[in-house]
Amino acid sequence: VFHDDQHGTAIVCLAGLINALKIAKKDIANIKLVCNGAGAAGIACMKLIQVYGAKKENCFICDTHGVIYPGRLKGMNDFKASLANETVTEDTTLEQVCADADVLIGVSAAGGFTEACLKALAPNPVIFAMANPEPEVRPDAAKAIRSDCIIATGRSDFPNQINNVMCFPFLFRATLDCRASQINEAMKMAAAMALAKLAEEPVPDEVKRAF
């Protein structure tokens, strides 16, 4: 089953991350990444980002109880456990794990990124605050705390939108056009990379007129 809010969000998140890391001059293989939100969308984002090249030991996913790690008992399930970070051995908060993180992704709730979280991040951090309708932190607030950040949200009225609407229904159209019987991991990766490349192309005049 392809769930747009889950896999579509992951595809667009990765597409945005590919280009944000280029701007920030960071290598996917060397970044520390923190994701706040361990529901369907957060898990899908983390899995696709790791397939692209992020190292599992450098990826930390948090829920309302903090960082997910092996042996944690509170609020766990098999899906969360599959992304448990083995470098963590005790209860750790979001603010604590944000220390020196290069990328902070939010698929959680409004206001989830505190000033302490943002201040703890590494230089030139990438922040994707994708909670809707109110992001984990607004762009103006993030820039006030971290003027060196690249900030994106899920909203179309802020710059740098990261939203599954950019993927759907185009992925379905491509699937139907090539008569594919499934949407697999290779197709999701191809969609993310195509979107990343498209963002670097000149904007057509008809699109400029529409916006």
Side-chain angles (χ1 to χ4, degrees):
V1 176
F2 180 92
H3 193 294
D4 185 42
D5 282 340
Q6 180 179 355
H7 303 291
T9 298
I11 289 167
V12 181
C13 178
L14 176 58
L17 183 61
I18 290 170
N19 286 342
L21 291 178
K22 286 182 184 178
I23 296 169
K25 294 182 172 58
K26 299 188 183 217
D27 185 343
I28 186 74
N30 298 325
I31 62 167
K32 177 181 178 181
L33 186 149
V34 175
C35 177
N36 190 40
I43 289 170
C45 286
M46 290 288 275
K47 285 187 173 181
L48 197 61
I49 290 169
Q50 288 181 12
V51 170
Y52 183 71
K55 294 178 180 176
K56 185 173 182 179
E57 62 266 28
N58 294 337
C59 294
F60 303 83
I61 187 165
C62 301
D63 60 11
T64 54
H65 301 292
V67 177
I68 292 169
Y69 63 92
R72 203 191 79 176
L73 300 178
K74 291 182 180 178
M76 290 297 292
N77 57 50
D78 290 342
F79 302 105
K80 292 180 182 181
S82 69
L83 290 170
N85 190 300
E86 295 183 358
T87 69
V88 180
T89 58
E90 61 184 9
D91 289 349
T92 306
T93 66
L94 174 63
E95 290 183 358
Q96 289 172 327
V97 80
C98 277
D100 297 319
D102 299 284
V103 178
L104 178 58
I105 293 173
V107 274
S108 51
F113 296 164
T114 65
E115 182 174 348
C117 288
L118 301 191
K119 284 184 174 180
L121 299 175
N124 305 311
V126 175
I127 303 169
F128 288 175
M130 297 188 291
N132 265 328
E134 185 63 31
E136 285 83 358
V137 63
R138 289 195 167 213
D140 55 347
K143 282 289 187 179
I145 299 167
R146 291 302 300 261
S147 60
D148 60 339
C149 76
I150 296 172
I151 173 74
T153 73
R155 286 172 48 160
S156 60
D157 55 338
F158 292 143
N160 303 330
Q161 185 185 27
I162 303 287
N163 192 285
N164 55 315
V165 71
M166 297 173 181
C167 172
F168 178 86
F170 313 109
L171 178 59
F172 276 77
R173 173 58 191 267
T175 303
L176 294 171
D177 284 350
C178 69
R179 298 178 180 273
S181 60
Q182 62 177 342
I183 297 175
N184 58 30
E185 294 302 309
M187 293 164 72
K188 290 189 282 185
M189 184 61 66
M193 295 181 73
L195 279 172
K197 185 176 179 181
L198 181 62
E200 297 181 326
E201 298 293 325
V203 179
D205 289 337
E206 59 266 30
V207 176
K208 289 180 180 178
R209 288 193 296 269
F211 290 95

